[in-house]
Amino acid sequence: MGNLLKVLTCTDLEQGPNFFLDFENAQPTESEKEIYNQVNVVLKDAEGILEDLQSYRGAGHEIREAIQHPADEKLQEKAWGAVVPLVGKLKKFYEFSQRLAALRGLLGALTSTPYSPTQHLEREQALAKQFAEILHFTLRFDELKMTNPAIQNDFSYYRRTLSRMRINNVPAEGENEVNNELANRMSLFYAEATPMLKTLSDATTKFVSENKNLPIENTTDCLSTMASVCRVMLETPEYRSRFTNEETVSFCLRVMVGVIILYDHVHPVGAFAKTSKIDMKGCIKVLKDQPPNSVEGLLNALRYTTKHLNDETTSKQIKSMLQ
């Protein structure tokens, strides 16, 4: 992810340490290895999931033909034959989202006492890099999903056809792969505008509720610190000039938006309140300074998947910036 990046990572930007956060070469220390290896098993499959999603074309033509000619059995069989393997892919994506619950172990490592979030990020750079990679994957997955209506169309057709087959007592090849209970869960997952982000938000909220002995600030400060890291890297020419390619820019943008949304879901008053430790105006400005086509999905994620944007405590200026 580019060369060594010197970033300001304090939550209070008036004071605090500078240190290098290496998004490319960070290697786990002995104390990081156990969590690192667990998360790495999941991350190894992330690129393949994105490639599968990017190449997902859907069975729109076959489905249209089958619907237009309901009495033609061959067309019905052809549509079903096209949809079943696609639903197998959708099942794989859904199951991968469940594996991302590994984030909870990662959050545990990055928020444990006695260290502050800044100290954790400085000491456990390999884990910080993995956290960033999970967020990057999450936002990338959701961007691709949002621009591919075939996913929900295929799954809806699959469920309707399966239901009809049951009524007519027709054996359904493929039902063994996605039974009714799993289909219900998948349906809820794909109904979300940003399903992977929802999964991560739920996992983070669950982490906070399960770790009552850990102050919630440990988690929210970790998220706000990460947002500050990304914002400063992006808005400071000296730091940004060290990026070796544009991919690093989109990586940082996605990570920044991801941690803002997580913070907004976990913090009692959210990311947009005056008391928030995230400089929302600065973060939105950084987004708006990018080419519009490259960040529209990220701006939409802030508009539609945050929890507190429309609260009365959110300033009119922030609301106006996101309109």
Side-chain angles (χ1 to χ4, degrees):
M1 286 296 118
N3 52 3
L4 290 176
L5 302 170
K6 190 179 183 189
V7 293
L8 182 65
T9 59
C10 50
T11 47
D12 179 355
L13 297 180
E14 295 305 311
Q15 53 181 352
N18 280 340
F19 72 89
F20 288 103
L21 178 57
D22 184 356
F23 271 153
E24 184 183 20
N25 302 306
Q27 294 301 314
T29 59
E30 207 52 48
S31 64
E32 291 172 90
K33 272 186 180 169
E34 187 183 346
I35 296 289
Y36 182 89
N37 290 338
Q38 286 170 15
V39 177
N40 211 39
V41 170
V42 180
L43 282 174
K44 273 183 180 171
D45 295 333
E47 200 52 48
I49 293 285
L50 289 179
E51 283 169 11
D52 279 354
L53 179 55
Q54 200 151 16
S55 63
Y56 189 101
R57 292 292 169 265
H61 173 71
E62 293 87 344
I63 290 170
R64 275 193 303 277
E65 288 288 299
I67 289 170
Q68 283 165 10
H69 305 93
D72 189 327
E73 280 306 314
K74 282 191 176 174
L75 288 177
Q76 307 310 308
E77 285 169 19
K78 191 178 176 186
W80 181 250
V83 163
V84 167
L86 291 171
V87 169
K89 277 191 177 185
L90 297 182
K91 179 193 176 196
K92 187 169 84 166
F93 301 158
Y94 169 75
E95 288 174 341
F96 187 79
S97 78
Q98 302 309 293
R99 292 172 65 201
L100 279 187
L103 173 73
R104 293 212 293 277
L106 197 52
L107 272 178
L110 290 171
T111 57
S112 59
T113 53
Y115 303 113
S116 71
T118 301
Q119 289 168 324
H120 272 300
L121 290 173
E122 191 167 14
R123 293 164 58 93
E124 288 133 20
Q125 296 209 359
L127 295 186
K129 179 190 170 208
Q130 283 187 319
F131 185 42
E133 284 173 346
I134 286 174
L135 287 158
H136 179 261
F137 162 82
T138 298
L139 274 287
R140 186 75 190 107
F141 181 96
D142 287 346
E143 283 167 15
L144 288 169
K145 183 264 176 186
M146 274 201 280
T147 54
N148 195 339
I151 287 172
Q152 276 186 280
N153 292 342
D154 291 348
F155 196 62
S156 295
Y157 178 80
Y158 174 84
R159 296 201 73 191
R160 287 197 310 273
T161 307
L162 200 57
S163 177
R164 199 164 57 243
M165 286 173 159
R166 273 208 205 91
I167 292 166
N168 297 325
N169 288 319
V170 177
E173 183 194 336
E175 187 182 355
N176 294 334
E177 190 163 349
V178 179
N179 62 29
N180 204 38
E181 186 193 339
L182 177 57
N184 285 337
R185 293 202 302 272
M186 285 172 62
S187 190
L188 289 171
F189 175 75
Y190 287 112
E192 293 288 337
T194 51
M196 284 289 175
L197 206 46
K198 175 73 164 63
T199 302
L200 280 201
S201 295
D202 289 349
T204 308
T205 305
K206 190 173 181 186
F207 169 80
V208 170
S209 66
E210 284 177 350
N211 292 274
K212 298 196 187 303
N213 58 335
L214 191 72
I216 189 172
E217 290 76 24
N218 288 36
T219 302
T220 54
D221 285 0
C222 171
L223 298 173
S224 60
T225 300
M226 197 67 141
S228 296
V229 170
C230 294
R231 179 180 57 74
V232 172
M233 284 198 288
L234 289 159
E235 71 184 6
T236 310
E238 179 198 337
Y239 302 153
R240 189 159 168 163
S241 67
R242 301 182 190 191
F243 294 165
T244 56
N245 56 55
E246 277 303 301
E247 250 178 58
T248 311
V249 176
S250 64
F251 181 88
C252 289
L253 288 165
R254 286 195 186 98
V255 174
M256 180 180 78
V257 169
V259 285
I260 289 169
I261 294 167
L262 288 185
Y263 182 98
D264 194 58
H265 277 259
V266 175
H267 195 283
V269 297
F272 300 97
K274 282 180 182 172
T275 53
S276 165
K277 289 189 176 178
I278 295 177
D279 173 5
M280 282 307 306
K281 288 174 190 168
C283 291
I284 295 167
K285 184 178 182 304
V286 164
L287 282 167
K288 295 218 158 179
D289 286 344
Q290 313 307 314
N293 292 346
S294 67
V295 293
E296 195 53 38
L298 296 178
L299 287 166
N300 282 337
L302 287 179
R303 288 173 187 128
Y304 305 123
T305 64
T306 46
K307 198 174 173 181
H308 295 280
L309 174 60
N310 295 314
D311 288 3
E312 286 178 13
T313 49
T314 303
S315 75
K316 285 179 181 172
Q317 190 184 353
I318 288 176
K319 286 181 181 175
S320 152
M321 287 175 86
L322 278 173
Q323 269 172 3

